């Protein structure tokens, strides 16, 4: 039997309800590694440290002036600010991430105007440091840095005057900027006989008052916003229902089509409940190296996951964004829109960061191509997060009785879903009222393994954020929850169009290579229970992680000389024997 792929073996750890594997080789390994039964990580009960009261501040990114030309074709730039806020606030762990904020991109402008606020609570009286990095958005290439500004304030109180009523202009440090962009600016000034003008950013900071506890939790209060990212991919749509505009007898319907994979971000109003605090599970030694970037293999895997995160959550001209009122019905409606209400039986993978940023994408084998670890990718390889798992949305056939409180899902019985009557085909599909929908969210994540003891806090937090929407947070090992998820998968099979996809090479690509066609053909030939296809990139990183696996991907290099290249892992994974036959077994695991 060929060894399992390294990425599958190390990154896709089992969830709570993974059945025990009876393979004798696995059993012998477990006997020799009893110390791995309870690997470090998961729920961390460390309480927030004590801290004196802090202040709530409002940072406003007004505009920038005199920016260099970053795109010579348009004689312009697509600037945005990525800001990082740090302060002398005690942390539970040194690797807790700093607060960050990204402004929207202003396209084709050398004097962009953002006028975006960032309200942060519990900034200490000892002040803060705000580092603003200015970039030129340049998808699909790397974004060019145009410079940065560092603002240091060494004292705060309620009477701190800030930078005046109109804010202050700060000169951009060009040393860290793109030399090409500033070369263009210098040539422009020379040819037109203009005086060199230093780029500047206009920023204001004001103290709004004393923050509420917990004072050791510096967090984003607002504004609450949403972002939809679209990653160009190649997909083949099959099983389109009759009556659909795409259901056509024409042979063109069988051809591969462009498909935009949607990744979502929603900034919620902080603070996140302190109990929601989880560390990655060090299921194997390579996991710790991957998060800490130790060693060659750990460094490579860390970079790969960071790149996958930036690719899925990329910003370009197709990115959509907006602001909504915090903890309002508008917030509930926006969340339901981004999750497509209850259409198609969709199931989503999510990560909630410590600063209340909710990231989620649709999950399923068809969306798993070229992703090494879903929750690690969503978290951007963060050591600590608040919570992670999966969720889905169901329509409610009948509303609750009037005696139920409208501010929350307070009539949640011990018997799980049985108290609620659900009938997807009969429910009103035209309704967009949050009262007609239920969010079922769990802790199904092998990467962070959230403990079920935090689920009541997660439910209360989300209920405050999305009033009107009925919410239940259930343990992934709960029998009723497993039954509900199974029903959701059945709905997906009946209502949802099957999508087989591979990553496109370029967002502007409109053609498909023979390799793409071959991969899509292989995917179409697979049934729903077939193992996941592994891309060339994934196989390459498998070999980086475990050099011995190179034999599995080279035809003729297996034990008998007649084996064939292996394209999948999980259930049905196998290796070539002397007669060229594949044999082996395994299980598919959710990460």
């Amino acid at each position: 039997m060929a060894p399992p792929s390294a990425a599958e073996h190390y990154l896709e750890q089992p969830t709570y309800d993974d059945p025990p594997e009876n393979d004798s080789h696995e059993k012998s390994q477990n006997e020799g590694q009893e110390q791995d039964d309870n690997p470090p990580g998961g729920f961390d009960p460390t309480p927030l440290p004590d801290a004196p009261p802090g202040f709530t501040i409002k940072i406003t990114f007004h505009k920038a002036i005199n920016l260099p030309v970053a795109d010579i074709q348009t004689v312009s730039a697509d600037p945005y600010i990525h800001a990082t806020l740090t302060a002398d606030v005690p942390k539970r762990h040194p690797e807790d991430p700093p607060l960050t904020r990204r402004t929207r991109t202003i396209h084709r402008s050398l004097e962009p105007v953002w006028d975006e606020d960032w309200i942060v609570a519990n900034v200490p009286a000892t002040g803060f440091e705000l580092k603003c990095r200015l970039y030129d958005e340049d998808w699909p290439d790397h974004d060019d840095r145009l410079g940065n500004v560092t603002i240091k304030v060494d004292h705060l109180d309620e009477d701190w005057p800030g930078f005046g009523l109109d804010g202050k202009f700060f000169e951009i440090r060009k040393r860290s900027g793109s030399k090409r962009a500033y070369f263009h600016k210098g040539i422009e000034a020379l040819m037109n006989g203009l005086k060199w003008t230093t780029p500047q950013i206009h920023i204001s900071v004001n103290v709004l008052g004393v923050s509420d506890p917990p004072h050791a939790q510096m967090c984003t209060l607002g504004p609450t916003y949403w972002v939809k990212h679209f990653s160009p991919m190649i997909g083949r749509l099959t099983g389109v229902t009759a009556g659909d505009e795409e259901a056509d007898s024409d042979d063109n319907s069988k051809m591969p089509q462009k498909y935009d994979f949607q990744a979502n971000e929603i900034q919620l109003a902080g603070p996140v409940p302190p109990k929601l605090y989880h560390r990655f599970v060090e299921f194997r030694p390579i996991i710790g190296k991957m998060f800490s970037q130790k060693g060659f293999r750990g460094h490579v895997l860390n970079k790969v996951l960071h790149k996958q995160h930036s690719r899925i959550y990329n910003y370009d001209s197709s990115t959509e964004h907006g602001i909504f009122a915090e903890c309002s019905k508008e917030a509930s409606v926006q969340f339901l829109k981004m999750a497509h209400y209850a259409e198609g039986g969709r199931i989503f993978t999510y990560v909630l960061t410590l600063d209340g940023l909710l990231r989620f994408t649709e999950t399923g084998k068809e969306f798993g191509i070229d992703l090494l670890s879903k929750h690690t990718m969503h978290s951007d390889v963060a050591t600590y997060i608040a919570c992670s798992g999966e969720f889905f949305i169901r329509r409610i056939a009948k509303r609750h009785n009037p005696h139920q409180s409208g501010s929350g899902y307070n009539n949640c019985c011990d018997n799980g879903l049985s108290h609620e009557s659900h009938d997807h085909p009969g429910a009103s599909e035209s309704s967009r009222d949050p009262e007609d929908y239920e969010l079922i969210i769990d802790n199904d994540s092998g990467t962070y393994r959230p403990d079920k003891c935090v689920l009541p806090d997660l439910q209360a937090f989300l209920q405050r954020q999305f009033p009107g929407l009925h919410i239940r947070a259930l343990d992934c090992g709960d029998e009723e929850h497993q039954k509900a998820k199974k029903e959701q998968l059945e709905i997906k099979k009946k209502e949802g169009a099957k999508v087989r996809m591979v990553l496109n090479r370029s967002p502007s690509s409109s053609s498909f290579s023979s390799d793409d066609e071959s991969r899509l053909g292989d995917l179409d030939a697979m049934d729903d229970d077939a193992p996941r296809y592994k891309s060339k990139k994934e196989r390459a990183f498998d070999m980086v992680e475990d050099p011995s696996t190179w034999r599995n991907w080279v035809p003729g290099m297996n034990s008998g000389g007649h084996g064939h290249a292996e394209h999948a892992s999980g259930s049905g994974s196998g290796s070539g024997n002397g007669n060229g036959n594949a044999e082996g077994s395994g299980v598919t695991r959710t990460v």
Side-chain angles (χ1 to χ4, degrees):
M1 181 180 295
S5 84
E8 185 84 14
H9 182 68
Y10 288 125
L11 295 177
E12 300 196 357
Q13 308 102 29
T15 54
Y16 301 126
D17 53 340
D18 278 342
E21 299 181 21
N22 296 321
D23 188 85
S24 59
H25 179 65
E26 289 285 340
K27 188 177 296 183
S28 63
Q29 280 189 330
N30 291 337
E31 290 175 356
Q33 297 181 358
E34 293 182 359
Q35 67 273 18
D36 291 339
D37 291 343
N38 295 301
F43 174 64
D44 189 336
T46 305
L48 283 169
D50 294 330
F55 300 93
T56 300
I57 64 172
K58 182 175 75 171
I59 304 168
T60 303
F61 306 101
H62 293 288
K63 60 184 178 181
I65 59 174
N66 304 324
L67 295 184
V69 174
D71 188 350
I72 196 64
Q73 294 180 341
T74 62
V75 195
S76 188
D78 301 316
Y80 69 89
I81 296 173
H82 185 277
T84 302
L85 183 68
T86 56
D88 189 20
V89 177
K91 295 183 176 182
R92 284 186 280 192
H93 191 277
E95 294 190 31
D96 286 352
L99 297 190
T100 61
R101 182 81 169 198
R102 186 199 193 276
T103 67
R104 70 188 188 279
T105 301
I106 305 297
H107 294 282
R108 298 195 175 187
S109 176
L110 298 181
E111 296 196 351
V113 177
W114 294 285
D115 283 333
E116 291 190 20
D117 296 331
W118 185 19
I119 302 175
V120 180
N122 289 308
V123 180
T126 53
F128 61 88
E129 178 177 302
L130 176 67
K131 187 164 188 176
C132 302
R133 297 176 176 89
L134 189 65
Y135 290 93
D136 168 65
E137 185 180 280
D138 196 19
W139 172 260
D141 298 326
H142 291 291
D143 293 350
D144 295 325
R145 184 181 292 188
L146 302 180
N148 62 60
V149 168
T150 301
I151 302 172
K152 296 182 179 180
V153 175
D154 57 10
H155 175 74
L156 279 183
D157 57 44
E158 291 187 84
D159 299 323
W160 183 66
F163 302 132
L165 296 177
D166 298 326
K168 182 179 178 180
F169 281 92
F170 296 87
E171 290 190 357
I172 296 174
R173 295 180 59 188
K174 303 180 292 294
R175 181 177 299 178
S176 61
S178 167
K179 294 180 175 59
R180 175 175 56 85
Y182 282 98
F183 176 76
H184 292 162
K185 184 176 177 65
I187 293 297
E188 180 188 15
L190 181 64
M191 294 181 64
N192 296 322
L194 301 176
K195 182 180 178 181
W196 175 272
T197 50
T198 302
Q200 296 179 317
I201 298 180
H202 183 200
I203 296 175
S204 62
V205 182
N206 297 291
V207 174
L208 301 182
V210 179
S211 302
D212 295 327
H215 299 305
Q217 191 171 3
M218 193 167 70
C219 64
T220 297
L221 296 184
T224 46
Y225 65 86
W226 59 271
V227 185
K228 286 199 291 188
H229 308 264
F230 299 97
S231 300
M233 309 179 85
I234 298 173
R236 173 170 288 172
L237 295 141
T238 62
V240 180
T241 58
D244 220 287
E245 292 182 358
E246 289 154 357
D248 195 345
S249 59
D250 192 356
D251 291 339
N252 290 335
S253 63
K254 301 298 183 180
M255 296 297 292
Q257 304 172 26
K258 293 281 290 286
Y259 185 90
D260 282 336
F261 181 72
Q262 178 180 323
N264 308 279
E265 291 182 295
I266 299 181
Q267 177 63 58
L268 304 176
V272 171
K275 195 173 182 179
L276 298 180
Y277 192 61
H278 294 86
R279 179 185 180 271
F280 72 88
V281 177
E282 200 165 345
F283 191 74
R284 292 288 187 272
I286 187 61
I287 298 296
K289 294 179 180 178
M290 181 184 70
F291 277 85
S292 62
Q293 302 188 59
K294 291 183 178 179
F296 174 73
R297 294 181 297 176
H299 181 78
V300 169
L301 291 174
N302 183 279
K303 292 297 183 183
V304 170
L305 285 163
H306 277 303
K307 188 170 184 179
Q308 289 181 344
H309 176 87
S310 62
R311 181 176 58 188
I312 296 298
Y313 289 96
N314 75 85
Y315 285 80
D316 59 21
S317 57
S318 68
T319 303
E320 300 177 6
H321 50 79
I323 295 176
F324 56 86
E326 64 182 63
C327 304
S328 65
K329 184 177 179 180
E330 181 186 2
S332 302
V333 171
Q334 183 59 48
F335 171 69
L336 289 172
K337 284 181 180 178
M338 298 177 77
H340 307 283
Y341 290 88
E343 298 171 359
R346 290 176 169 87
I347 297 178
F348 297 87
T349 298
Y350 80 91
V351 161
L352 179 65
T353 70
L354 294 176
D355 194 35
L357 182 62
L358 179 65
R359 298 190 182 111
F360 61 95
T361 61
E362 190 172 349
T363 191
K365 291 195 294 292
E366 66 270 31
F367 300 106
I369 296 175
D370 233 8
L371 299 181
L372 298 182
S373 174
K374 291 183 290 185
H375 287 108
T376 311
M377 182 278 297
H378 284 298
S379 72
D380 200 15
V381 205
T383 301
Y384 280 90
I385 63 165
C387 199
S388 60
E390 295 182 346
F391 72 81
F392 55 90
I393 296 171
R394 306 177 68 169
R395 294 189 188 93
I396 298 177
K398 296 180 181 180
R399 294 196 180 190
H400 293 294
N401 294 327
H403 70 267
Q404 180 181 343
S405 170
S407 62
Y409 195 69
N410 301 324
N411 195 27
C412 183
C413 300
D414 292 335
N415 59 354
L417 298 175
S418 61
H419 78 289
E420 199 48 88
S421 176
H422 295 280
D423 185 11
H424 291 264
S428 174
E429 297 187 8
S430 62
S431 173
R432 293 297 182 257
D433 188 341
E435 289 281 353
D436 291 329
Y437 293 88
E438 179 186 41
L439 167 65
I440 298 179
I441 190 167
D442 64 30
N443 55 347
D444 189 4
S445 169
T447 303
Y448 294 96
R449 296 189 183 181
D451 194 276
K452 62 182 180 181
C453 71
V454 308
L455 294 177
D457 295 78
L458 176 65
Q459 177 173 318
F461 175 70
L462 294 178
Q463 195 65 78
R464 182 173 72 89
Q465 304 292 330
F466 304 123
L469 180 63
H470 304 293
I471 298 176
R472 280 190 289 173
L474 301 175
D475 179 39
C476 62
D478 183 82
E479 291 184 5
E480 289 294 331
H481 174 60
Q482 292 178 359
K483 180 180 178 182
K485 188 176 264 190
K486 185 177 180 180
E487 292 173 355
Q488 188 75 359
L489 291 172
E490 291 298 321
I491 294 170
K492 183 176 182 179
K493 290 181 180 180
K494 293 179 181 178
E495 296 185 8
K498 295 180 181 179
V499 181
R500 301 293 193 186
M501 60 177 60
V502 296
L503 284 175
N504 200 350
R505 280 158 176 71
S506 168
S508 60
S509 177
S510 59
S511 61
F512 303 95
S513 68
S514 58
D515 185 56
D516 293 329
E517 291 277 10
S518 175
R519 294 168 70 185
L520 289 169
D522 292 343
L523 288 169
D524 274 344
M526 296 163 57
D527 56 30
D528 289 337
D529 297 324
R532 185 171 67 82
Y533 187 96
K534 296 188 77 63
S535 68
K536 289 181 179 179
K537 184 179 294 184
E538 287 181 293
R539 283 177 271 161
F541 286 114
D542 285 349
M543 286 186 280
V544 170
E545 163 52 34
D546 186 358
S548 65
T549 61
W550 71 273
R551 293 177 177 273
N552 301 327
W553 307 112
V554 180
M557 294 303 296
N558 286 319
S559 57
H562 301 285
H564 57 274
E566 189 176 89
H567 289 285
S569 58
S571 60
S573 63
S575 61
N577 57 23
N579 299 320
N581 298 322
E583 57 186 24
S585 62
V587 295
T588 300
R589 293 169 175 170
T590 301
V591 179

